[in-house]
Amino acid sequence: MSLRGPLARVLGRGSAKQGVHEWWLQRLTSIALVPLAVGFAVSLLTLPALDYATLVGWVRHGGTALGLLLFVLVAARHSQLGVRVVIEDYVHASGLKTLALVATNFAHALAAAAAVFAILKVALGGHL
Amino acid sequence: MPERPLSPHLSVYKFKYTLATSILNRFAGLGLSLGFLLLVYWLVALAGGARAYAQARALLTLGIFKLVYVLLLAAFVYHLVAGIRHLIWDTGRGLERASVRRSAWVVATVSVVVTVIVAYWMLRPGAYAR
């Protein structure tokens, strides 16, 4: 005899309906990265030079700054999801797996934040 | 936790082009994740001012980095083309054996051609000399 009612027994047993969230995000970031990554690569590789003045001018251009911000944010998320799946697939020791997941998540957040800060600093900075 | 069969084991499958294109996409993705860190380093150096950038540039133009950039380029192009193939698969199209084989060839050919052309552009004499 249990004191739990029929509703309490059934709650939490079904799908949380979030199972495809990350699968979907990986697709969404993939689609976004097609134009963002190609645009970034073409824009960078067609620069006449890679000296400081040229690059600062490049990043300060509004279109470049916006494109760079979107690219690094979406790429960081896409990379985090991808590395996560690889770890989940190949690292089976549960402690090591958790450690690896925590480390890659932190690393991706740090990389994304540093990139965004750097882009904004160059794009909005006064001095050259 | 109950022992469940764990899917991706490189060692238990017969090596075929389907496995090759799939695992290459993963390696390319992982390579690009490392390349992303290089991009962040480069952006942070740029934000650090002319002097910091000059130091980073001296490092990033060492001869060995030519190889790094060509590998990153190959990974970028392959991951892009193979990724588009995956997106097409996600719509339920192109999953029959014949079309999988055909698209594997398309991915391989397009990747090699685009990589060679862009690598030639990147490494052309006098490129980005200033």
Side-chain angles (χ1 to χ4, degrees):
Chain A
M1 158 101 198
S2 165
L3 291 173
R4 302 179 73 205
L7 180 63
R9 240 175 291 147
V10 84
L11 280 179
R13 289 278 175 160
S15 156
K17 301 202 164 51
Q18 292 171 353
V20 294
H21 176 67
E22 270 148 350
W23 182 91
W24 174 244
L25 253 186
Q26 189 73 303
R27 270 70 197 167
L28 214 56
T29 51
S30 302
I31 295 167
L33 278 172
V34 174
L36 289 173
V38 172
F40 163 76
V42 170
S43 178
L44 178 66
L45 291 177
T46 53
L47 281 174
L50 295 177
D51 62 314
Y52 183 69
T54 307
L55 285 171
V56 169
W58 179 63
V59 175
R60 278 196 188 164
H61 187 275
T64 314
L66 186 63
L68 272 175
L69 283 173
L70 281 172
F71 173 62
V72 295
L73 284 172
V74 178
R77 190 77 167 101
H78 183 84
S79 169
Q80 182 253 323
L81 290 165
V83 173
R84 179 188 172 149
V85 170
V86 173
I87 291 170
E88 286 170 346
D89 278 348
Y90 297 110
V91 182
H92 297 315
S94 77
L96 190 65
K97 181 193 277 192
T98 308
L99 194 69
L101 288 174
V102 169
T104 54
N105 284 351
F106 283 2
H108 278 96
L110 179 65
V116 167
F117 180 73
I119 294 163
L120 289 178
K121 184 163 185 258
V122 176
L124 306 175
H127 68 96
L128 207 151
Chain B
M1 225 174 79
E3 285 293 314
R4 296 202 178 94
L6 297 164
S7 173
H9 277 296
L10 284 181
S11 47
V12 301
Y13 294 119
K14 193 167 145 193
F15 193 83
K16 297 201 82 171
Y17 66 92
T18 41
L19 188 151
T21 52
S22 172
I23 197 65
L24 251 182
N25 202 34
R26 277 209 161 170
F27 281 133
L30 286 176
L32 291 170
S33 292
L34 293 176
F36 187 70
L37 296 179
L38 207 59
L39 171 68
V40 174
Y41 165 68
W42 180 72
L43 284 171
V44 168
L46 187 67
R51 214 141 153 231
Y53 181 70
Q55 278 173 2
R57 197 179 180 195
L59 175 71
L60 295 175
T61 47
L62 290 176
I64 184 77
F65 275 99
K66 277 189 181 162
L67 179 66
V68 174
Y69 300 139
V70 169
L71 286 174
L72 279 175
L73 170 69
F76 179 93
V77 174
Y78 183 79
H79 201 70
L80 175 71
V81 182
I84 292 172
R85 182 177 180 232
H86 270 280
L87 287 173
I88 295 169
W89 278 344
D90 287 337
T91 68
R93 293 174 183 83
L95 288 163
E96 298 77 24
R97 185 186 293 228
S99 49
V100 167
R101 186 169 304 203
R102 209 176 327 119
S103 60
W105 276 109
V106 171
V107 167
T109 312
V110 171
S111 301
V112 170
V113 170
V114 174
T115 301
V116 168
I117 292 172
V118 180
Y120 183 78
W121 170 261
M122 234 165 56
L123 302 174
R124 71 195 185 279
Y128 318 114
R130 185 151 56 83

